[in-house]
Amino acid sequence: MTARVYTETADPDLRPEDVPRRPAHGTALFVRPSHFQVLYRINPHMTGRADPAVATEQWQTVVDVYDDYATDVEVLDPSTLYEQTLRDGPKPAPAPERLPDMVFCANQSMPHPTEKRVLLSHMATRERMAEVEYLRAWYESEGYAVEQLDTQATFEGMGDALWYPGRELVVGGYGFRSERRAYEELSERFDVPVVMLKLTLEDCYHLDVCLSLLDEETALLYPGALTDAGVETLQSLVDTVIEVPREEAIEGFACNAHSIDGQHVVLQRGNPETVRKLHDHGFEPIEVDTSEFMKAGGSVFCMKLMLP
Ligand code: ARG
């Protein structure tokens, strides 16, 4: 498949089944929430304070679920990464106390689906920029070829750029954090098609807040966060779109769910309609509590990064 970007059109001349297969992700990467807190407000959810002790317990429960269902789990410690940045980085990075959103490790990078290569993010907000240097240090120590965008475009990794299940195809959200130009470059670099979807609602500032691709045929979606053309584009890609009601999407982070293996779907608890619909479509929901992280604007999907 050649590199190409698609904007919202009701019928992109693209069929996921025509795109080359990619192997399933094998490792779930996590960053310990050792300095997690809500210290600034860069999305509309960030209005209160989080309880660090409760957050740590909730995070551990999520990691344990992945331990049970994913092939491998890798946990990074911000202090260790910080030391690595001091040893290897071009200039001293800020200390981990100043990076309270590090735990959302879907955002700082996007690994290549098959090669040991990674594209680092260019965060849209000043508050989160230095997190990328922490991840760079880790990837370098692991022997990855580390790449950066040539364009000045902002790009927030796998919070906005979602791999289509089983295929070398990306569905990318833009409008709040990531820019369209970033997807043009991503598409060229990784030689994959990218279907771009415009985000229209600030509560869903990342694509993973309104969309989760569950398997090759099914997506979980809050349609109110996309344009009509965007919803139609998605409908033309997947057979079944499971619609999530507004309240469960915005207050319950129901779409920030992750289908670990195309069967088990980890999601925030307290979303009864989404859970019922998942059951109806043959999925097995695994409900966890990420309430403290939701106060920062994230839940299950963005608390991990899937590595090939
Ligand atoms: N406070 C973080 C931010 O606004 C939360 C990121 C959550 N990540 C996600 N992919 N939804 O950037």
Side-chain angles (χ1 to χ4, degrees):
M1 196 75 189
T2 41
R4 181 168 165 195
V5 292
Y6 296 79
T7 39
E8 294 93 342
T9 57
D11 187 19
D13 58 343
L14 171 74
R15 299 277 160 265
E17 54 272 26
D18 297 337
V19 178
R21 290 212 146 268
R22 65 171 175 83
H25 287 117
T27 301
L29 183 77
F30 289 88
V31 173
R32 208 175 280 289
S34 20
H35 303 90
F36 171 68
Q37 189 44 272
V38 184
L39 294 183
Y40 41 70
R41 185 163 193 255
I42 55 172
N43 71 59
H45 304 273
M46 301 178 88
T47 53
R49 296 278 294 181
D51 181 326
V54 177
T56 303
E57 272 173 41
Q58 292 179 340
W59 176 84
Q60 191 59 54
T61 308
V62 174
V63 174
D64 290 346
V65 168
Y66 279 80
D67 239 340
D68 289 344
Y69 294 95
T71 338
D72 274 312
V73 166
E74 170 107 36
V75 172
L76 306 184
D77 185 62
S79 307
T80 313
L81 296 179
Y82 177 54
E83 279 156 33
Q84 258 174 323
T85 67
L86 294 184
R87 260 200 319 272
D88 314 325
K91 57 175 194 237
E97 297 77 23
R98 294 178 50 199
L99 300 172
D101 275 332
M102 275 294 308
V103 64
F104 298 112
C105 62
N107 302 152
Q108 304 96 349
S109 66
M110 172 131 185
H112 189 276
T114 52
E115 296 159 34
K116 215 166 176 192
R117 290 167 61 186
V118 63
L119 180 62
L120 295 179
S121 298
H122 173 195
M123 305 303 282
T125 66
R126 185 182 301 276
E127 287 83 352
R128 297 196 65 190
M129 276 187 182
E131 295 176 22
V132 177
E133 294 312 310
Y134 279 53
L135 269 294
R136 176 206 297 277
W138 182 74
Y139 282 117
E140 281 174 355
S141 72
E142 291 291 307
Y144 278 76
V146 178
E147 301 175 30
Q148 256 169 273
L149 289 167
D150 290 328
T151 59
Q152 285 305 302
T154 58
F155 171 63
E156 295 208 346
M158 293 171 80
D160 266 332
L162 313 182
W163 282 112
Y164 197 90
R167 301 284 165 178
E168 291 196 0
L169 164 65
V170 171
V171 182
Y174 67 94
F176 292 105
R177 299 291 183 84
S178 301
E179 293 179 282
R180 289 170 53 151
R181 273 182 307 140
Y183 292 119
E184 283 159 20
E185 193 177 331
L186 169 74
S187 171
E188 293 284 333
R189 277 182 184 273
F190 284 7
D191 195 26
V192 294
V194 179
V195 177
M196 303 189 294
L197 299 176
K198 184 179 169 64
L199 297 168
T200 58
L201 185 71
E202 207 187 351
D203 295 290
C204 301
Y205 57 95
H206 276 146
L207 185 60
D208 71 3
V209 186
C210 65
L211 172 66
S212 186
L213 301 167
L214 302 178
D215 64 17
E216 289 199 41
E217 287 89 40
T218 324
L220 198 59
L221 174 73
Y222 170 56
L226 300 180
T227 61
D228 292 346
V231 174
E232 284 172 34
T233 302
L234 195 71
Q235 281 164 341
S236 71
L237 286 179
V238 299
D239 292 344
T240 308
V241 172
I242 303 179
E243 282 200 20
V244 170
R246 182 185 170 94
E247 195 192 317
E248 294 193 3
I250 310 293
E251 264 109 71
F253 278 82
C255 297
N256 201 250
H258 180 227
S259 169
I260 296 187
D261 51 10
Q263 178 69 37
H264 299 91
V265 179
V266 197
L267 82 163
Q268 172 61 29
R269 74 169 191 212
N271 290 307
E273 187 157 341
T274 306
V275 164
R276 185 181 56 72
K277 287 185 174 178
L278 286 170
H279 277 302
D280 288 351
H281 286 86
F283 293 97
E284 287 178 47
I286 302 174
E287 297 178 76
V288 293
D289 192 3
T290 61
S291 64
E292 297 316 292
F293 299 99
M294 285 156 59
K295 294 174 185 170
S299 180
V300 178
F301 192 91
C302 44
M303 291 166 70
K304 56 92 192 87
L305 181 84
M306 297 310 291
L307 296 168

